[in-house]
Amino acid sequence: MDYLQGLNYSQQEAVKQTEGPVMIVAGAGSGKTRVITYRVAHLVRKNVDPFNILVLTFTNKAAKEMRERITKVVGAEAKNIWMGTFHSVFAKILRVEAAKIGYPGNFTIYDTDDSKSLLRAILKEQQLDDKLYNANFVYNRISSAKNNLISPAEYLNNEHIQAEDFSSGRGKLGELYQLYAARCFKAGAMDFDDLLFKTNVLLREHPETLYKYQNKFKYLMVDEYQDTNFSQYLIVKKLAAIHENICVVGDDAQSIYAFRGANIQNILNFEKDYPDLKVFKLEQNYRSTQNIVNVANSIIANNKNQLKKTVYSENETGDKIKVVRAFSDNEEGKIVAEAIVQDRSVKGLKYHDFAILYRTNAQSRAMEEALRKLNVPYKIYGGLSFYQRKEIKDLIAYFRLTFNPNDEEAIKRVINYPRRGIGDTSVERIIIAADQHQLTLWEVIADAHKYLDSRTAGAIANFGTLVQSFPVLAKTHTAYDAALHIAQHSGLLKDLHEDKSVEGLSRYENIQELLNGIKEFSEREDIENKGLDIFMQDVALLTNDDNDKNPNADTVSLMTIHSAKGLEFQQVFVVGLEENLFPSQMSLNSRTDLEEERRLFYVAITRAEKKLTLCYATSRYRWGTLTSCEPSRFIDEIDPKYLELDFKQPQKPSGNPFFDDERAAWSGKPSPAKEDTFGKPKPAAMAKTTSILPKAHVPSPGFAASDTSDLQVGMEVEHERFGFGKVISLEGNKPDIKATIFFKELGQKQLLLKFAKLRIV
């Protein structure tokens, strides 16, 4: 029992309670993995046969780590424990039992690409409109049905589902599901979702098999139980039905995967399934400072739907949590990058001690560019680098062709994307003709009717005409206007907009983010040439990949908050904390969705060990329009005593008419109660505290720049982003006059008049 000495009292009690139903509510950083490890080891030490123990996890990494720790305690017997992810464990069972449900034991497991490839073939055979029946959308629809244990026959016979499909113009979805399932079965293949779906079928239709595994797995443990879906829940419940020696471990406050089908009610209602349940709460956080834990607690307290616990830390109090205001997403990136460089130098930290977390993948662009400019090495986790994503590379390939039509790689990439009837055979004919006549691919394309037969020349000539139209516009328009024109007329924007799958929406958002970056470039006041060719030169430098692919390299980690779950870093920056971004706009119409967004914020906060910084921008570009942003309600839900505002609040000097008391003050008191999204009054404690953070400047109606050729010292002016101010001094000669302006909200700034776009008040 010496291995128990390193555990606190609550951990020890949870480990020793091996019989009957147990729920371990494990707060962030509370030593959850250690408790699971020692609980399994304790069972083996009590002479439970390892073959009778089943441990289910959500990642192979977690299973491997647990097995290694258990081996150190109990030795070689650890290899006999049934331990792994849901999918790996039940695939193993299905290999043995497959014949009972009509599959061969050596069935193939299709990955996502295999599944989508099959669906594309079926859609082509059925001659369906690929805009309505996009393979990604159909795949996600089938996946959702399987996770809810809806078979093809049940799907077709469900009036509600059929009505929903027909109302969206996709009445064939049920038939496609049926065809897809039949083709998989004929090929002796299961997709990823089938591994759980077919296990449920096996246990439901073959009681003797269910009984066999109920008696085999006398002790069950499930990690991250809050992330289980209906299919997983049902399997676990069936297997534990005889002995009821089931232990689930999780934290409802970290349930963030509803979009994958996870059901938080599985953990919230666990006691209803097992009235004799014993609950153990792991509430001591060993990871974070007291201030970080207090902030996390103050946030999650706003959720009504939760298992109550009091997480605490006995670590150092630590720094207050910084709240940083930026005036744009690019400035936000600059502030974060500079803070990393400074703290690394002053505190002797490594780059891998820092993480930047964001709500959506598209937000990585500004962060990446800022880090690159300061030569800070970084790595994108849970996704590709922004400029390496397919949709970004596709649009940039069109930009490359605009300025260099002989770029063969760009031609090959986009000549048939979006689809325009130029297949691989046609491309091969272009290559052959170019070789025969000693020409570039572009020269053949530009004179297609001369070098190619009439069957293929038409579509190729049209592509050539399209590309030839782009340089004319690029020479006379700003980078943004040219980029938007190319995105629209190439058909790329339309293609992505019509893909309504989760992946399609993400790709569409990424293109929006690229165009936002180009828009900001087009409006920079420090450069004169704002053409797309200059932007492309900058991008070429930004996307020059580092050849060092060492996975252990010292790099800053960039990732979405969903990807960060389970990780920890000394310093964490949570960026983009603005209404409609985090929380996301789609979450604001439902209390359930808003509570999940709040849990996501809780997860972000609790990744930090020593220092946490929260960032927001007062403006972002959305489809080329500069949009004012409001700080996230989540910032206002934090007890102000734990916060440090990392920007100077303007104070009202005596006799200065430019300051507004209401916007300058920071009382830290909650605002009067407002209505929530359901039309009911909010409690004062949950009301939006608009006085904590200053609002972004909203330009005056009909804002238009004035002629500033006769601007004088003392004049009052308005800037689209910086707000109202007074001209303090003017220096230099026309056309390069610089104006020093004192802005009410920002203080003193120096602007080049010919680029400043000021409105004289």
Side-chain angles (χ1 to χ4, degrees), residues 430-443:
I430 295 171
I431 295 171
I432 292 170
D435 289 340
Q436 287 177 344
H437 299 280
Q438 298 297 299
L439 301 171
T440 65
L441 300 189
W442 173 248
E443 288 172 322

Side-chain angles (χ1 to χ4, degrees), residues 500-671:
K500 301 302 183 182
S501 68
V502 174
E503 295 89 346
L505 291 172
S506 177
R507 288 193 287 268
Y508 188 68
E509 287 176 356
N510 288 337
I511 291 294
Q512 173 186 338
E513 183 62 17
L514 176 61
L515 292 172
N516 288 342
I518 298 173
K519 176 68 171 181
E520 186 137 6
F521 169 86
S522 298
E523 299 199 346
R524 279 172 56 181
E525 297 174 356
D526 58 340
I527 58 172
E528 292 191 43
N529 189 338
K530 301 173 184 178
L532 186 58
D533 55 336
I534 304 301
F535 177 83
M536 287 299 295
Q537 291 175 25
D538 289 350
V539 169
L541 294 173
L542 288 172
T543 58
N544 183 19
D545 284 341
D546 187 351
N547 292 324
D548 181 10
K549 301 299 181 184
N550 179 4
N552 299 315
D554 185 23
T555 57
V556 174
S557 298
L558 275 67
M559 65 190 79
T560 64
I561 302 167
H562 284 101
S563 299
K565 189 164 178 286
L567 303 178
E568 55 191 57
F569 304 89
Q570 279 202 38
Q571 293 201 22
V572 169
F573 296 84
V574 184
V575 300
L577 275 164
E578 298 137 33
E579 288 291 292
N580 298 321
L581 182 57
F582 195 16
S584 69
Q585 187 171 14
M586 289 188 295
S587 73
L588 300 181
N589 295 321
S590 160
R591 179 177 286 119
T592 300
D593 292 343
L594 185 58
E595 291 205 350
E596 172 137 340
E597 288 286 294
R598 191 175 286 112
R599 293 194 295 270
L600 190 60
F601 186 40
Y602 177 87
V603 167
I605 291 169
T606 54
R607 300 311 95 199
E609 298 173 355
K610 301 289 186 182
K611 184 177 179 181
L612 173 67
T613 304
L614 309 177
C615 307
Y616 72 95
T618 58
S619 64
R620 283 183 191 269
Y621 279 96
R622 297 182 186 277
W623 288 109
T625 301
L626 187 67
T627 306
S628 295
C629 304
E630 182 182 357
S632 170
R633 68 187 66 196
F634 294 154
I635 298 177
D636 288 333
E637 291 176 356
I638 300 172
D639 190 327
K641 68 184 178 183
Y642 302 124
L643 298 179
E644 173 191 340
L645 300 191
D646 196 30
F647 47 86
K648 291 182 180 179
Q649 294 289 339
Q651 300 298 319
K652 181 180 179 182
S654 176
N656 189 329
F658 290 112
F659 290 101
D660 183 298
D661 278 331
E662 182 180 352
R663 293 167 71 181
W666 175 37
S667 65
K669 298 176 182 178
S671 62

Side-chain angles (χ1 to χ4, degrees), residues 474-490:
K475 289 176 182 176
T476 57
H477 289 67
T478 65
Y480 174 74
D481 290 335
L484 182 60
H485 176 90
I486 293 168
Q488 290 173 334
H489 288 77
S490 66

Side-chain angles (χ1 to χ4, degrees), residues 482-499:
L484 182 60
H485 176 90
I486 293 168
Q488 290 173 334
H489 288 77
S490 66
L492 186 148
L493 209 55
K494 181 174 182 288
D495 187 73
L496 292 177
H497 184 263
E498 291 175 346
D499 182 355

Side-chain angles (χ1 to χ4, degrees), residues 25 37 102 107 179 213 231 248 324 383 414 441 565 607 721:
V25 181
T37 298
F107 61 84
L179 283 169
Y213 288 101
S231 182
V248 300
V324 175
V414 299
L441 300 189
K565 189 164 178 286
R607 300 311 95 199
R721 281 190 289 166

Side-chain angles (χ1 to χ4, degrees), residues 80-267:
N80 296 324
I81 297 167
W82 280 64
M83 179 181 293
T85 64
F86 276 87
H87 293 89
S88 66
V89 166
F90 296 119
K92 186 177 178 181
I93 290 174
L94 286 170
R95 292 286 183 204
V96 176
E97 311 292 347
K100 295 177 180 175
I101 53 174
Y103 280 82
N106 62 344
F107 61 84
T108 299
I109 299 175
Y110 279 171
D111 63 16
T112 303
D113 288 340
D114 294 326
S115 297
K116 291 181 179 178
S117 178
L118 173 57
L119 282 169
R120 280 191 286 270
I122 293 171
L123 290 169
K124 187 175 181 180
E125 292 164 10
Q126 297 297 307
Q127 299 181 332
L128 294 173
D129 182 354
D130 62 0
K131 297 297 186 293
L132 276 176
Y133 294 97
N134 177 277
N136 292 329
F137 179 86
V138 178
Y139 172 81
N140 290 331
R141 187 72 169 176
I142 292 173
S143 176
S144 178
K146 288 182 180 179
N147 286 330
N148 286 286
L149 300 183
I150 300 171
S151 69
E154 290 168 330
Y155 191 105
L156 284 166
N157 291 326
N158 187 303
E159 292 182 3
H160 174 74
I161 293 175
Q162 291 299 297
E164 183 180 337
D165 286 352
F166 276 99
S167 67
S168 68
R170 297 184 176 94
K172 297 279 188 179
L173 281 171
E175 293 177 32
L176 291 172
Y177 182 13
Q178 191 173 50
L179 283 169
Y180 171 76
R183 291 278 281 272
C184 286
F185 183 76
K186 184 178 179 181
M190 295 188 197
D191 65 21
F192 210 57
D193 296 310
D194 278 329
L195 297 176
L196 299 179
F197 182 82
K198 299 298 184 184
T199 298
N200 271 292
V201 171
L202 175 71
L203 299 181
R204 182 182 69 230
E205 297 183 356
H206 299 274
E208 74 289 352
T209 304
L210 171 60
Y211 184 74
K212 169 185 171 181
Y213 288 101
Q214 285 173 332
N215 281 285
K216 178 175 180 58
F217 300 130
K218 294 177 181 176
Y219 293 87
L220 278 75
M221 288 193 68
V222 185
D223 189 19
E224 304 286 9
Y225 190 67
Q226 77 279 351
D227 293 334
T228 53
N229 60 29
F230 179 63
S231 182
Q232 291 161 329
Y233 160 80
L234 212 56
I235 293 172
V236 170
K237 185 178 180 182
K238 286 178 178 178
L239 291 177
I242 291 180
H243 300 285
E244 291 197 347
N245 292 325
I246 178 171
C247 173
V248 300
V249 185
D251 181 8
D252 59 294
Q254 298 185 67
S255 178
I256 59 173
Y257 294 118
F259 69 96
R260 293 183 189 168
N263 186 355
I264 192 175
Q265 298 304 321
N266 291 348
I267 193 168

